[in-house]
Amino acid sequence: MLNGKHLIAGSWIGGDNTFASQPAHGSAQNFAVGSVDLVGRACDSAEEAFCDYGYSSVETRAAFLNRIADEIDVLGDEITLIGSQETGLPEARLIGERGRTTSQLRLFATHILKGDYLDRRHDAAIAERMPVPRYDLQLVQRPIGPVAVFGASNFPLAFSTAGGDTASALAAGCPVIVKGHRAHPGTGELVAQAIDQAIKALKLHPGVFSMIHGESRDVGTALVQHPLIKAVGFTGSLEGGRALFNLCAAREEPIPFFGELGSVNPMFLLPHALSSRAKAIGEGWAGSLTMGAGQFCTNPGIVVVQAGADADLFISTALNALEQVGAQTMLTDSIAADYRDGRDRIRAETNVQEIFTASCDLRKATPNLFRVPAHKWLSTEALAEEVFGPLGLIIEVGSAEQMMEVANSLKGQLTCTLHMDEADTEQARKLMPVLERKAGRVLVNGFPTGVEVCDAMVHGGPYPASTNFGATSVGTLSIRRFLRPVCYQNVPASLLPQDLIQGASVVSNTNYRRNT
């Protein structure tokens, strides 16, 4: 049952000021508005919890992650119901996303038990070394402290209350304070209830997790500026993320801001692949473009293709597929309005050909397809901006050299995709050094929607795709964002952190480097 309250260090706290949810269907419900005072209380308790949880064993943290997953599964049907009402997402999509969320928690639990993420290193003392002896030196990654997490609109489970940022911070040993997203406050509250149950079952410090409903901007500002917060995880718009990034940098003690902000995820269709598979690529692109009403951060919004008969076949196939896609419900009214504004902005540009549009209003979205010559795209910065929704822009180039020019002009991306056959290898080889500098993930003969949660995944990229090009928000490497290396010189075993002592006792751990 929903109570419309914040979870602050183990207590459910309401307030006189409330806001109403805006569900796609079903009844609206009221939720308490957060305050700067609640932020302070949550941060103080998180710091207290860090003195305990930050020095807990990996077994304790793994048990916590697994128990959160179990408690989410217990509330599974309720979460699916309220999530579908709030966001308009199909129940099947939410069931799958819940599975991804719980699998991620369990994956991180398994991963930290292995210890590899700690990057343990040991340079043994050499007393007889001349001209000066070498001290005993040991290194291990340590948690940084309380972390603030901002829930995402488009993934109410996998990127929100117990999503990737929260899971990776807890795995690292960092307490978490979540600012929930107003698009799905009920979903966020139910997941917070699951985390609260896990904390109580394992008798952890209640400050290890707090959740504040996300109506007030003052809450977000206070959270990133609170001196006890040591890092921020964010998934959202470029405008909102950049504002928070600037606040983090302007603090007396600047802190890392791990923001995923925006990406158009371009696909490059090379000539031989287009000649042999234009229809298949066109159909596949239309499906990827409209999946979930285009509300994926990896949505492939731009295609770069060499003009000609094969390109025309690709376009006509994509058009036919898009014509079969009906109106889809978007996550919020404001996201739907922004989508229409983005469509109108592109439509108003000269030399942009409108291939397909359909009327849509209120919270609905229909596909839009546009075509633009490369020279116009290269000279119009606004065309490179993300439109969040099922809108596709086809850039037609006149040569391989112009395709390379388009690639070089790109800003940072989450993904870049090549569609190629073996005969395209030479052109692809020239593009690869450019694309790997532009994106965190480079695909061949696939579509970027769908992000595997695993060890090798990178979900990030150069700005503005993300604010930290050396990090990922998906996969086990994401845990490293909330750790920092500490070297221990001549420190007796009785004072060393448990993670380092355990590493020294596990001879088979190949990631524990012993140098003599």
Side-chain angles (χ1 to χ4, degrees):
M1 297 292 293
L2 296 177
N3 57 43
K5 298 179 179 180
H6 317 281
L7 174 62
I8 308 296
S11 299
W12 291 94
I13 300 174
D16 295 332
N17 295 327
T18 63
F19 69 97
S21 63
Q22 297 179 337
H25 55 86
S27 301
Q29 301 189 57
N30 291 326
F31 296 86
V33 175
S35 67
V36 174
D37 176 66
L38 288 176
V39 170
R41 292 165 64 179
C43 290
D44 288 342
S45 186
E47 179 66 16
E48 291 178 10
F50 181 65
C51 294
D52 178 52
Y53 186 72
Y55 296 85
S56 64
S57 68
V58 289
E59 289 80 10
T60 295
R61 282 174 266 145
F64 184 32
L65 296 171
N66 282 322
R67 187 58 182 258
I68 293 172
D70 293 342
E71 296 292 346
I72 290 174
D73 282 340
V74 169
L75 296 176
D77 290 343
E78 296 176 60
I79 290 171
T80 299
L81 177 62
I82 189 66
S84 179
Q85 290 175 349
E86 289 184 324
T87 66
L89 293 171
E91 289 190 1
R93 151 72 193 271
L94 287 166
I95 292 171
E97 188 181 332
R98 174 162 52 87
R100 169 179 167 172
T101 304
T102 55
S103 295
Q104 182 171 243
L105 287 160
R106 294 178 175 120
L107 172 65
F108 287 2
T110 300
H111 182 73
I112 63 175
L113 287 172
K114 296 176 183 176
D116 295 354
Y117 77 106
L118 295 168
D119 194 19
R120 293 177 284 228
R121 305 175 184 220
H122 183 198
D123 290 287
I126 306 177
E128 66 277 10
R129 192 183 70 173
M130 299 297 290
V132 293
R134 185 173 78 184
Y135 297 108
D136 183 86
L137 300 168
Q138 299 192 64
L139 177 149
V140 70
Q141 299 286 338
R142 299 297 296 141
I144 58 176
V147 171
V149 171
F150 286 72
S153 63
N154 59 336
F155 280 87
L157 298 173
F159 276 91
S160 291
T161 309
D165 288 341
T166 297
S168 53
L170 292 176
C174 299
V176 172
I177 301 168
V178 168
K179 180 181 183 290
H181 200 287
R182 64 165 299 162
H184 43 77
T187 309
E189 184 185 314
L190 284 181
V191 175
Q193 289 181 21
I195 299 173
D196 187 35
Q197 285 297 111
I199 292 171
K200 288 179 168 60
L202 298 177
K203 297 180 171 57
L204 300 177
H205 190 293
V208 76
F209 177 84
S210 293
M211 188 275 295
I212 304 175
H213 283 298
E215 172 65 13
S216 171
R217 288 189 177 182
D218 291 343
V219 169
T221 299
L223 196 51
V224 300
Q225 290 187 317
H226 197 285
L228 293 177
I229 294 296
K230 299 304 179 184
V232 176
F234 173 88
T235 298
S237 68
L238 175 59
E239 180 183 7
R242 183 63 203 224
L244 293 175
F245 173 81
N246 290 343
L247 287 174
C248 288
R251 288 176 29 146
E252 182 176 351
E253 177 201 1
I255 58 173
F257 179 82
F258 299 105
E260 181 200 307
L261 308 184
S263 184
V264 294
N265 304 294
M267 300 200 317
F268 293 80
L269 313 188
L270 302 192
H272 292 281
L274 197 64
S275 176
S276 62
R277 295 182 280 116
K279 285 189 174 182
I281 297 172
E283 290 172 352
W285 179 53
S288 182
L289 184 70
T290 58
M291 183 185 297
Q295 298 170 116
F296 288 89
C297 42
T298 53
N299 188 40
I302 285 180
V303 168
V304 186
V305 61
Q306 191 162 328
D310 294 330
D312 292 339
L313 178 58
F314 162 78
I315 293 170
S316 65
T317 303
L319 171 60
N320 289 337
L322 293 175
E323 287 176 336
Q324 310 307 312
V325 178
Q328 300 180 74
T329 301
M330 300 200 83
L331 294 160
T332 67
D333 293 337
S334 61
I335 288 174
D338 288 343
Y339 173 65
R340 292 191 290 273
D341 289 344
R343 174 202 62 191
D344 294 343
R345 170 173 53 81
I346 290 178
R347 178 188 281 169
E349 292 286 347
T350 58
N351 294 325
V352 174
Q353 179 188 354
E354 187 176 306
I355 298 175
F356 176 71
T357 60
S359 61
C360 56
D361 56 13
L362 302 176
R363 201 158 165 170
K364 299 292 186 180
T366 51
N368 288 272
L369 185 61
F370 298 91
R371 185 178 194 167
V372 63
H375 69 84
K376 170 67 176 178
W377 191 85
L378 288 165
S379 63
T380 310
E381 187 173 348
L383 292 176
E385 296 176 5
E386 179 186 25
V387 177
F388 193 62
L391 184 146
L393 180 62
I394 297 168
I395 303 170
E396 288 193 311
V397 302
S399 64
E401 290 73 23
Q402 194 170 42
M403 184 175 284
M404 179 66 79
E405 188 178 0
V406 170
N408 276 305
S409 71
L410 290 170
K411 295 181 180 179
Q413 305 292 329
L414 293 171
T415 73
C416 286
T417 301
L418 283 172
H419 284 271
M420 59 172 288
D421 285 350
E422 186 176 354
D424 294 309
T425 299
E426 183 177 351
Q427 185 177 354
R429 186 178 290 117
K430 294 177 181 178
L431 282 165
M432 278 296 291
V434 178
L435 301 187
E436 71 176 21
R437 292 188 66 188
K438 300 293 183 178
R441 177 163 58 112
V442 180
L443 300 80
V444 172
N445 294 336
F447 299 94
T449 42
V451 181
E452 187 72 24
V453 181
C454 60
D455 290 327
M457 177 52 63
V458 172
H459 190 62
Y463 185 85
S466 63
T467 56
N468 191 307
F469 62 83
T472 175
S473 61
V474 177
T476 55
L477 187 61
S478 65
I479 299 170
R480 289 291 295 271
R481 296 175 297 169
F482 305 115
L483 298 165
R484 66 182 183 86
V486 177
C487 176
Y488 300 86
Q489 180 173 318
N490 277 1
V491 175
S494 59
L495 298 181
L496 291 174
Q498 189 171 359
D499 284 339
L500 192 50
I501 296 171
Q502 286 179 331
S505 65
V506 182
V507 177
S508 62
N509 185 349
T510 57
N511 220 30
Y512 184 65
R513 302 189 177 107
R514 302 171 184 272
N515 299 319
T516 57

